[in-house]
Every structure is written in structure tokens, then in C-alpha cells.
């Protein structure tokens, strides 16, 4: 029987906002009560909150990409864990059935306080890219929740669609994929969502852009220099119908493309 004395820890602090943590809800699906591959520590008998102690590689919990070691488990299928012993919480998890709903809390990474260089501003854009199972998405990511920083494009493969369109660059931060928020997500979560795409996917990205102050008041011709990698497009379309002697107009600028940036 668990000691009824109140312990020093207070998982309820995650709910009332006294702790600087993020609360998420995760659903794990398994077949015929297969092991989740999730080991717990903590409980009233250990004077610490119930939390993830181990994720077995290749297990259901590990493949979900939604859990990390140290995540606090606030409830299991609606049963709050703050008054459970470690044995009780572990037994509840083991016998939770084939659909396991977890309420998790984890320390949220600090808000992005990156100081932009003078003359720079942040810009967001939505881009649509094709997905091919054989060739993948054409870029490599780094960062994520485990590293405590945003999921970031670290490399764009030359010759890939993102490279040819010029819509992704190393350093771009990925905020969403197909409407799923990636700001506190792991790389595994992003990869799993990407694999669910059959034809294409939509990314919301954030990048640094040069701030051109005073251009609104500028009159007359303006010389603009664009740096274009070999094989990439500028991302601009020119007007096709014009009379002799009329100027050539830019009819479209591709969002997040070279010209847009």
C-alpha cells in the first residue's frame, strides 16, 4: 500500500502552469497487446513523478517518435498517475489495451531568442513539394526536440526539386508539415509524417531575409543582384503579352524562391 503522506513532487504543477512545460497528448497503437517498449520510473514510492525511463529501440513507443526519455506521464487512458506507485503505473500501462492514450509533460525549449543581424528580418512561407519514396524529399534536417532547437534544414541536395525551385536553403526552420506543428517535435516525428505523404507535402518554413529599408521612397530604376546556384531557377515569371516599346513586367514571384528572398 502506498504511503498516504504527501511527497515533495507535484505533477499537478504541469496543469496549473506553475512549471514551464509543454503538455501533449499521444495515442499509441499496438496489435494484440504487443509490448510498448516503454519502461517507467518514478511514482509515490520513489518520490518523483512517473516518467519515461527507457525506450526500447524498434518498440511501439520508440517508433512513434512522440516520446523522449524524461517525459513525465501525467495520465494513462485518463487515469491520473500522481498518486500511483511505480508498480501501479507500470501495470496500468501494461494492461492499457491496444489503444494507449498518454498525457505527457516535458520541459519546453526556450523561446527562440535568436538575435538577428542588423538589416535582417524573419519571414515565413508555405511551400508545396513532391514526395517520391525512392528519391525522398531532397533535403536533410537537423535539430528537433531532443537537441532543444527547431527542426532545421541542414542541406539541400543539388539537383533535387527543392534545389531546382530554390525554395529551401540550409538554415531554414520548419514550423509545420501538412498542418502539424513541428516547433517542439522530434526529427522522428517529422520523418514519420513525411512517410505518410503519398504524392506531395506542404511545409511552413521560417527564414532570415535581408531588410531593405527605404525602398518604398525610392524613385527611378533600381539595380538588383541575385545569386543563383547552377541549375536553380530564380522563381520569377515575366508578363508574356505586351506591345512593342512597353516594359517587361514581373507577373509572379515564387514564395520563398531566390527572387523572393
Amino acid at each position: 500500500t502506498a504511503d498516504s503522506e504527501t511527497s515533495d513532487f507535484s505533477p499537478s504543477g504541469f496543469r496549473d502552469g506553475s512549471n514551464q512545460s509543454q503538455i501533449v497528448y499521444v495515442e499509441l497503437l499496438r496489435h494484440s497487446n504487443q509490448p510498448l517498449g516503454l519502461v517507467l520510473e518514478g511514482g509515490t514510492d520513489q518520490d518523483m513523478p512517473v516518467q519515461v525511463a527507457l525506450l526500447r529501440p524498434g518498440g511501439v513507443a520508440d517508433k512513434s517518435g512522440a516520446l523522449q526519455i524524461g517525459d513525465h506521464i501525467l495520465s494513462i487512458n485518463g487515469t491520473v498517475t500522481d498518486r500511483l506507485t511505480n508498480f501501479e503505473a507500470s501495470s496500468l500501462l501494461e494492461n492499457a489495451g491496444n489503444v494507449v492514450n498518454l498525457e505527457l509533460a516535458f520541459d519546453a525549449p526556450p523561446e527562440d531568442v535568436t538575435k538577428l543581424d542588423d538589416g535582417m528580418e524573419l519571414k515565413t512561407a508555405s511551400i508545396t513539394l513532391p514526395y517520391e519514396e525512392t528519391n525522398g524529399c531532397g533535403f536533410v534536417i537537423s535539430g528537433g526536440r531532443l537537441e532543444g532547437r527547431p527542426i532545421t534544414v541542414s542541406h539541400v541536395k543539388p539537383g533535387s526539386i527543392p534545389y531546382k525551385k530554390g525554395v529551401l536553403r540550409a538554415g531554414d526552420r520548419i514550423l509545420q508539415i501538412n498542418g502539424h506543428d513541428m516547433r517542439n517535435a522530434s526529427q522522428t516525428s517529422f520523418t514519420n509524417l513525411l512517410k505518410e505523404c503519398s504524392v506531395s507535402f506542404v511545409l511552413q518554413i521560417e527564414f532570415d531575409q535581408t531588410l531593405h529599408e527605404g525602398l518604398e521612397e525610392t524613385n527611378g530604376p533600381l539595380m538588383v543582384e541575385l545569386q543563383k546556384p547552377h541549375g536553380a531557377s530564380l522563381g520569377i515569371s515575366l508578363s508574356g503579352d505586351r506591345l512593342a516599346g512597353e516594359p517587361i513586367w514581373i507577373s509572379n514571384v515564387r514564395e520563398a524562391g531566390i527572387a523572393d528572398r
Side-chain angles (χ1 to χ4, degrees), residues 55 96 130 137 142 176 178 219 224 227-228 242:
L55 293 170
C137 56
S142 60
Q176 293 183 6
N178 290 342
N219 294 318
V224 177
Q227 296 182 352
K228 182 179 78 69
R242 68 185 185 92

Side-chain angles (χ1 to χ4, degrees), residues 109-243:
E111 294 185 4
D112 187 7
V113 292
T114 303
K115 185 179 184 301
L116 291 174
D117 294 334
D118 292 338
M120 302 294 289
E121 64 177 347
L122 290 179
K123 183 173 181 179
T124 60
S126 293
I127 59 175
T128 301
L129 295 171
Y131 178 76
E132 300 178 8
E133 190 172 353
T134 53
N135 298 323
C137 56
F139 60 93
V140 180
I141 60 171
S142 60
R145 178 180 159 192
L146 190 61
E147 299 180 25
R149 60 189 182 92
I151 293 178
T152 304
V153 177
S154 57
H155 175 67
V156 180
K157 299 176 182 178
S160 65
I161 297 298
Y163 179 90
K164 291 179 179 179
K165 287 188 172 184
V167 293
L168 276 182
R169 290 186 184 179
D172 290 354
R173 280 83 63 188
I174 297 177
L175 305 180
Q176 293 183 6
I177 176 172
N178 290 342
H180 296 276
D181 194 341
M182 291 286 103
R183 282 171 288 191
N184 285 322
S186 64
Q187 289 188 36
T188 304
S189 297
F190 177 83
T191 303
N192 288 341
L193 288 169
L194 189 62
K195 290 178 179 178
E196 294 177 2
C197 304
S198 56
V199 179
S200 63
F201 57 96
V202 179
L203 295 180
Q204 184 184 49
I205 61 173
E206 177 187 71
F207 54 89
D208 305 336
Q209 184 179 49
T210 302
L211 180 62
H212 299 286
E213 296 181 345
L215 285 183
E216 295 81 1
E217 291 78 28
T218 301
N219 294 318
L222 180 68
M223 182 69 71
V224 177
E225 180 179 298
L226 301 176
Q227 296 182 352
K228 182 179 78 69
H230 178 72
S233 67
L234 288 175
I236 59 175
S237 300
L238 304 180
S239 58
D241 298 328
R242 68 185 185 92
L243 299 176

Side-chain angles (χ1 to χ4, degrees), residues 20-66:
Q20 297 299 317
S21 297
Q22 180 83 24
I23 294 179
V24 296
Y25 297 86
V26 174
E27 181 180 85
L28 301 177
L29 303 178
R30 57 180 173 179
H31 302 288
S32 302
N33 288 314
Q34 69 182 117
L36 290 172
L38 174 59
V39 179
L40 305 181
E41 65 181 353
T44 56
D45 55 330
Q46 296 182 12
D47 289 335
M48 60 184 295
V50 175
Q51 61 188 40
V52 178
L54 176 67
L55 293 170
R56 301 192 188 281
V60 174
D62 178 51
K63 287 183 176 180
S64 74

